[in-house]
Amino acid sequence: MEHRINNEVKSIEISGIRKFFNLVNDYDNMVSLTIGQPDFPTPEHIKKMTIEAIHRNHTTYTHNAGILSLRTAISNYVKERYQLDYHPEEEILVTVGASEAIAATLKTILDQGDEVILPGPVYPGYEPLITLNGAKAVYVDTRQSKFKLTAELIEPMITSRTKAILIPYPSNPTGVTLSEEELKAIASLLDDKDIFLIADEIYSELIYEKDHFSIGRCRKIKDKTIIINGVSKSHSMTGFRIGYILGPAWLIQHILKVHQYYVSCATSVSQYAALEALTNGKNDAEVMRDAYRERRDFVYKRLVEMGISTYLPDGGFYYFIPLSSSSKSSLEIALELVEKERLALVPGSAFSKYGEGYLRLSYAYDLDTLKKGLNRLEQFLIDF
């Protein structure tokens, strides 16, 4: 009966990150620097509020868009943090993680044959969702622009089929972000075009040398801009599955319909946990960010000592390491690294063809683990 299932589902694959993680998971004495998940426990006050929400019987369906107190907290949080103005009752939608936010948004705006422009290399979760809606992912090669999707690169890729441009910054897998000037240039490019701008800002709290500038501040395109964010990375709450969408009221009401039929509402107790995170835990990310900065700097020093030509990431917790071979793919090199040194890094090919020749290293691990992993990488390079 397999021939009877949806052809677009058959055409997509499990994420290359997860495939590789599962492939090496059973090896003994393995140091894995693969998964982009905070290694900090969820803050205690958030866990206590989750338990309290259960005891208070906050275990039923909520408003489809999320409890109003949480939407109000999100509104206040993004106003204080990023100078964004979104009305809690009409312009904010609470979702089951940022992943569902992206899925519901794309389902709402895409028609058969549409095109979505996005940078390459990029997180592998976008293209399958675009494909499932009968649309096409159009990658822009950003390897020569320091992995930045700029207005200059976007403009020649726009066609009559372009429905949306997706800018995921700070970036997974590269850790780079866009400056205020670069984002304003994209806004100017789209000012007179009927094209949506989707900004995945899930790593916005993990920027090191400067404050995050959200393209949602560009008022000239606010009516076509959709901001995706959540508490997974900022508050180490990946398992709580709370994300949110910020957008114009006319569009949110349509995304809400898709969200309603997909999931009804985000998990009730997780919503109360997120409420605690975005009110009494507004500064929880600072301790984690300081630790990630220390780890980032340590990894940079070690990579430079090894002779690897790299850069200092702006945010997130990833390095995209150039490690090419004339005869071997990034997957083959990653597997060789596993076999010889018991070190797992994600092959760059998992992030589109523009990631070939690179390996992604996640530094969302403690310093002892990073030291051990980098020592193994250095030994591998000696024999490479």
Side-chain angles (χ1 to χ4, degrees):
M1 291 295 291
E2 187 176 4
H3 68 285
R4 298 287 289 169
I5 70 170
N6 187 303
N7 285 326
E8 285 160 352
V9 172
K10 285 194 286 186
S11 72
I12 65 173
E13 297 184 6
I14 298 295
S15 162
I17 304 172
R18 285 290 174 177
K19 284 171 69 175
F20 191 77
F21 175 78
N22 295 336
L23 184 65
V24 303
N25 202 35
D26 292 331
Y27 281 78
D28 294 329
N29 190 31
M30 178 65 64
V31 175
S32 177
L33 304 179
T34 57
I35 298 300
Q37 175 169 257
D39 66 324
F40 295 91
T42 302
E44 286 299 320
H45 68 101
I46 296 174
K47 292 191 284 188
K48 289 178 181 177
M49 179 54 69
T50 310
I51 295 169
E52 187 174 330
I54 294 171
H55 288 312
R56 290 184 177 181
N57 294 316
H58 293 315
T59 55
T60 60
Y61 293 126
T62 71
H63 188 293
N64 293 122
I67 56 175
L68 183 56
S69 54
L70 174 55
R71 285 180 280 148
T72 300
I74 292 168
S75 177
N76 294 337
Y77 184 83
V78 300
K79 174 68 173 178
E80 177 182 336
R81 276 291 201 271
Y82 313 125
Q83 295 77 57
L84 298 177
D85 292 304
Y86 287 93
H87 193 278
E89 292 191 34
E90 299 177 339
E91 298 180 316
I92 298 175
L93 171 58
V94 180
T95 60
V96 182
S99 296
E100 192 243 326
I102 296 163
T105 296
L106 292 174
K107 184 63 179 177
T108 302
I109 67 173
L110 292 181
D111 287 307
Q112 192 80 24
D114 284 343
E115 295 177 350
V116 179
I117 295 173
L118 67 168
V122 73
Y123 170 65
Y126 302 122
E127 182 179 4
L129 295 175
I130 294 167
T131 300
L132 286 172
N133 287 291
K136 178 184 177 183
V138 177
Y139 288 102
V140 176
D141 185 353
T142 63
R143 290 173 296 182
Q144 303 305 313
S145 61
K146 299 180 179 178
F147 300 119
K148 292 187 174 189
L149 182 62
T150 63
E152 292 76 16
L153 291 175
I154 292 169
E155 188 169 17
M157 306 300 289
I158 293 175
T159 72
S160 60
R161 292 183 177 274
T162 304
K163 179 65 71 70
I165 296 166
L166 202 156
I167 53 171
Y169 293 99
S171 162
N172 173 9
T174 68
V176 304
T177 193
L178 299 182
S179 69
E180 178 177 345
E181 293 72 24
E182 289 164 335
L183 288 166
K184 286 181 175 178
I186 293 173
S188 293
L189 173 65
L190 298 184
D191 186 23
D192 61 350
K193 297 176 176 60
D194 291 333
I195 297 174
F196 291 104
L197 191 288
I198 305 170
D200 184 350
E201 301 185 353
I202 194 67
Y203 292 97
S204 59
E205 283 296 293
L206 301 180
I207 292 184
Y208 303 114
E209 269 69 54
K210 55 189 174 182
D211 293 332
H212 174 70
F213 182 87
S214 174
I215 200 166
R217 290 177 62 182
C218 298
R219 296 191 177 277
K220 64 174 68 175
I221 63 164
K222 187 177 178 183
D223 199 46
K224 61 184 82 171
T225 297
I226 304 143
I227 307 293
I228 308 291
N229 213 322
V231 296
S232 289
K233 312 298 185 182
S234 60
H235 291 79
S236 195
M237 295 174 64
T238 54
F240 286 78
R241 309 311 304 132
I242 293 292
Y244 53 85
I245 304 172
L246 311 174
W250 70 266
L251 179 56
I252 290 293
Q253 69 176 339
H254 291 298
I255 302 176
L256 178 61
K257 292 183 287 186
V258 176
H259 166 77
Q260 174 190 347
Y261 289 115
Y262 273 176
V263 298
S264 293
C265 61
T267 304
S268 59
V269 294
S270 291
Q271 290 190 54
Y272 285 93
L275 174 60
E276 174 70 12
L278 297 178
T279 51
N280 297 321
K282 288 188 289 187
N283 298 319
D284 285 345
E286 292 180 6
V287 173
M288 292 182 267
R289 184 170 61 239
D290 289 344
Y292 292 138
R293 182 188 290 111
E294 180 184 6
R295 298 172 188 182
R296 179 200 64 167
D297 294 348
F298 170 74
V299 174
Y300 180 78
K301 178 175 180 293
R302 291 290 286 117
L303 292 177
V304 170
E305 288 172 350
M306 294 178 209
I308 294 176
S309 176
T310 188
Y311 56 92
L312 202 62
D314 301 310
F317 32 61
Y318 307 107
Y319 272 93
F320 211 48
I321 304 170
L323 200 61
S324 59
S325 166
S326 59
S327 60
K328 296 176 182 177
S329 68
S330 60
L331 176 59
E332 289 170 325
I333 293 172
L335 289 172
E336 191 173 324
L337 188 55
V338 167
E339 292 292 344
K340 290 185 175 180
E341 299 297 336
R342 292 297 191 264
L343 173 63
L345 305 179
V346 181
S349 55
F351 304 95
S352 84
K353 67 179 182 180
Y354 299 110
E356 188 55 76
Y358 292 82
L359 298 177
R360 191 194 74 174
L361 180 154
S362 168
Y363 54 91
Y365 295 86
D366 62 78
L367 280 173
D368 286 342
T369 301
L370 291 172
K371 289 175 184 177
K372 186 183 295 185
L374 289 165
N375 287 341
R376 294 185 182 192
L377 178 61
E378 184 174 33
Q379 184 59 49
F380 177 78
L381 291 176
I382 292 173
D383 303 324
F384 186 56

